[in-house]
Amino acid sequence: EMPAPPARLGLCAACHGERGRAQIPGAPNLAGQKLDYLREALKQYRDGRRDVALMKAAIGPVSDAELDQLAQWYSAQTPVAASQP
Amino acid sequence: EMPAPPARLGLCAACHGERGRAQIPGAPNLAGQKLDYLREALKQYRDGRRDVALMKAAIGPVSDAELDQLAQWYSAQTPVAASQP
């Protein structure tokens, strides 16, 4: 069933929304994304293979366990079709 | 309304599915993803900022116009919640 919202969700929600619907241009939807893909992407933002300063800064202080919680939260969200508001 | 399936869809569908549902571990779902995000990701796979040899090889021979068609196709697909088969 739905995991509890992670403590640091607010950090991500500014751009990705609390339920994984992008809030700003350029940010991806995360709802229903594959968990293994989210984990790998986060790793690449952290180690710089994905060179996005904002993401590196955002996840810098976040523990691996919390990162995994955030990945699980977003993967568990129900995506909505783009056309809906 | 739904754009026509791009000619090169088969190239992407092997890993991302014809309608944007990941077919292999590690590949992301693309259905309903933000178009601007997909465009930027494709650019980064092409110029190597996202250093994924498989993606660079896959999109190498594809024209910008075709890449954009593929991004539009996947962005227009309806995502399904992860739990469904």
Side-chain angles (χ1 to χ4, degrees):
Chain A
E1 44 22 84
M2 183 66 69
R8 287 193 184 253
L9 184 57
L11 180 72
C12 316
C15 299
H16 296 293
E18 287 203 352
R19 296 201 168 272
R21 287 182 59 205
Q23 303 292 302
I24 63 161
N29 292 324
L30 298 181
Q33 185 54 275
K34 299 297 297 293
L35 182 54
D36 53 4
Y37 177 77
L38 289 178
R39 285 175 170 150
E40 179 57 23
L42 283 169
K43 225 183 277 160
Q44 294 192 12
Y45 285 123
R46 207 205 272 282
D47 66 26
R49 266 181 300 162
R50 284 195 189 190
D51 185 17
V52 179
L54 183 138
M55 277 300 287
K56 186 158 188 167
I59 63 176
V62 181
S63 72
D64 287 343
E66 279 177 310
L67 270 188
D68 209 59
Q69 248 188 352
L70 289 160
Q72 285 176 41
W73 167 262
Y74 279 117
S75 181
Q77 300 308 306
T78 302
V80 289
S83 49
Q84 291 160 350
Chain B
E1 45 23 88
M2 182 67 69
R8 286 193 184 256
L9 183 57
L11 179 72
C12 316
C15 299
H16 296 293
E18 286 203 354
R19 295 201 169 273
R21 287 182 58 203
Q23 303 292 303
I24 61 160
N29 291 324
L30 299 181
Q33 183 54 275
K34 299 295 298 293
L35 183 53
D36 53 4
Y37 177 77
L38 290 178
R39 284 176 171 148
E40 179 57 23
L42 283 171
K43 228 181 279 162
Q44 293 192 13
Y45 285 122
R46 207 204 273 280
D47 67 25
R49 267 180 299 163
R50 286 195 187 189
D51 186 15
V52 179
L54 184 136
M55 277 300 287
K56 185 157 189 166
I59 64 176
V62 182
S63 71
D64 286 343
E66 279 177 311
L67 269 189
D68 209 59
Q69 249 190 348
L70 289 160
Q72 286 175 40
W73 167 262
Y74 280 117
S75 183
Q77 301 309 307
T78 303
V80 292
S83 49
Q84 290 159 350

